Amino acid sequence: MVGKLEGRVLLVAFSLLVLGLVFVYSASFPLAMRLFHEEMGFLKRQLLGAALGVVLLLAFWHIDYRLWARLSPLLLGFTFGGLFLTFVPRLGVGGRWISIGPLSLQPSEFGKLALLFFLAGTLAEREPRDFRHGVLPYLVLLGIFGIFFLLQPDFGMFLLYGALTFFLLWTAGARAGHLLGAGAAGLPVLGALLAMAPYRLGRLLAFIDPASFRHSYGYQVYQSMLALGSGGLWGRGLGASRAKFFYLPSAHNDFIFAVVGEEVGLLGALLVVLLLAALVALGYAVGREARGRLGSLLAFGAAFLLGFQALLNLGVVVGVFPVTGLTLPFVSYGGSSLAVSLGLVGILLGVAREAEA
């Protein structure tokens, strides 16, 4: 028997999944024809990610989340092992993925689940009021992840890991002064990372003055804005985007929302945003209804991951944030991203199932 809160979460997540598959096919078929000589090349790979995601959803829904929290150190170990394998020749792909048969898995995506279970599981047992013993260990763990993400490089994922860590520390009771001080101490490191990688500095400059960089670092954002603007209120029609015909790079991935806005217009794009917002709101409702501190932290963390990543992606597409390379949950192409998004929904369902039992 599915409870009322579980049913709402399932309905919204299923709606996003279906819409995401439709838009992945629509946005990717020109590139799929060029690379695979078939229109459904990317959609077939996305369906594999969806199948893996359903397995994760069912596992987190029906297996007690306390078990996953107890296994979180082991899950973190697998994550670090996977991150290391991305640098192994013939196994690692592009420094971020591992090639396993027809699948290309991104360990940093699955690491979000491991980190969430570890943070919630350890913070549920104590309040991190003391900086040395309550906050610093988590910052050290974040720093270790940062080394891997610097080597990949994947600054957007590191930003997501950092935001989740600080959010759950704050939710669990860490002092705001400790968190603000740690954040301020990291600003020089951020400046050094910008100076070390010219493309990061270029993205920042393009964000500040997009018109001057529209033919270089700001090209994607400029084309994204053109696509969104040309969609108008009702859009050109599903499948009728022009930007996806190799004007807009990553049209099926990071910038798929621009294709959504072009094809189904402002009203269709708002529907996607409202569904994402509804899922995040339901996640926080699950956290408030949870029976224990662990369940609350897991639900709040899962909702935060989905909402914060969606906010960053949408902000990039409309030119509010610099380019981060993060996908739009459920909507962008990426099997690992879709699987983990469904896994996060499974965590919400598992907490809601116990709350409504």
Side-chain angles (χ1 to χ4, degrees):
M1 184 71 179
V2 177
K4 183 182 295 185
L5 197 52
E6 292 172 90
R8 292 174 180 173
V9 172
L10 273 175
L11 176 62
V12 175
F14 180 75
S15 300
L16 283 168
L17 175 62
V18 172
L19 286 175
L21 292 174
V22 170
F23 285 119
V24 163
Y25 170 70
S26 177
S28 69
F29 78 79
L31 184 60
M33 286 296 296
R34 172 179 288 185
L35 296 179
F36 311 119
H37 307 292
E38 61 167 330
E39 292 184 357
M40 300 179 66
F42 285 105
L43 178 62
K44 290 179 179 178
R45 287 161 173 78
Q46 190 76 343
L47 287 171
L48 289 175
L52 177 58
V54 170
V55 172
L56 290 176
L57 183 150
L58 293 174
F60 295 149
W61 185 5
H62 293 291
I63 298 177
D64 193 333
Y65 54 80
R66 294 171 185 82
L67 174 62
W68 297 109
R70 288 195 294 270
L71 292 175
S72 61
L74 181 62
L75 298 178
L76 279 179
F78 281 127
T79 299
F80 285 122
L83 290 172
F84 176 78
L85 290 177
T86 60
F87 303 108
V88 176
R90 298 185 181 180
L91 185 60
V93 180
R96 299 184 187 181
W97 294 269
I98 300 173
S99 179
I100 303 176
L103 283 176
S104 291
L105 301 178
Q106 188 175 358
S108 59
E109 280 286 351
F110 294 96
K112 294 189 297 188
L113 297 171
L115 182 62
L116 173 58
F117 279 119
F118 179 78
L119 291 172
T122 54
L123 290 171
E125 299 174 357
R126 58 182 178 182
E127 282 196 10
R129 303 295 291 177
D130 176 71
F131 180 81
R132 182 177 178 181
H133 299 99
V135 175
L136 185 59
Y138 298 102
L139 299 181
V140 172
L141 176 63
L142 183 60
I144 297 173
F145 275 117
I147 294 173
F148 281 99
F149 294 144
L150 179 63
L151 294 174
Q152 284 188 337
D154 194 352
F155 184 74
M157 192 62 72
F158 177 65
L159 178 63
L160 198 60
Y161 274 50
L164 175 65
T165 301
F166 275 69
F167 171 77
L168 281 184
L169 282 171
W170 175 73
T171 304
R175 298 179 188 275
H178 290 164
L179 299 179
L180 290 174
L187 290 178
V189 178
L190 177 62
L193 292 176
L194 289 174
M196 289 169 57
Y199 78 92
R200 291 195 189 106
L201 183 60
R203 287 177 175 179
L204 181 61
L205 293 174
F207 165 70
I208 297 172
D209 186 9
S212 300
F213 293 87
R214 65 182 183 180
H215 298 298
S216 55
Y217 291 110
Y219 177 78
Q220 279 182 297
V221 176
Y222 181 74
Q223 291 294 328
S224 173
M225 299 293 284
L226 287 179
L228 284 170
S230 65
L233 185 63
W234 302 104
R236 295 182 182 275
L238 189 62
S241 166
R242 297 175 183 175
K244 67 187 177 188
F245 286 96
F246 313 112
Y247 291 102
L248 175 62
S250 299
H252 63 302
N253 192 264
D254 305 355
F255 283 82
I256 195 170
F257 189 72
V259 177
V260 173
E262 185 182 9
E263 293 191 346
V264 296
L266 177 62
L267 295 180
L270 282 177
L271 173 62
V272 174
V273 173
L274 288 175
L275 284 172
L276 287 166
L279 185 58
V280 173
L282 286 169
Y284 282 107
V286 170
R288 289 193 297 270
E289 296 294 327
R291 288 190 174 183
R293 182 176 168 88
L294 174 59
S296 292
L297 290 174
L298 281 172
F300 289 148
F304 177 81
L305 273 174
L306 290 168
F308 188 68
Q309 183 168 337
L311 180 65
L312 288 178
N313 178 274
L314 294 173
V316 168
V317 172
V318 301
V320 175
F321 301 135
V323 176
T324 61
L326 294 173
T327 56
L328 183 61
F330 295 98
V331 184
S332 292
Y333 171 76
S336 297
S337 174
L338 179 57
V340 170
S341 296
L342 288 169
L344 292 171
V345 170
I347 292 173
L348 295 177
L349 291 171
V351 177
R353 181 172 67 92
E354 181 182 89
E356 296 182 305

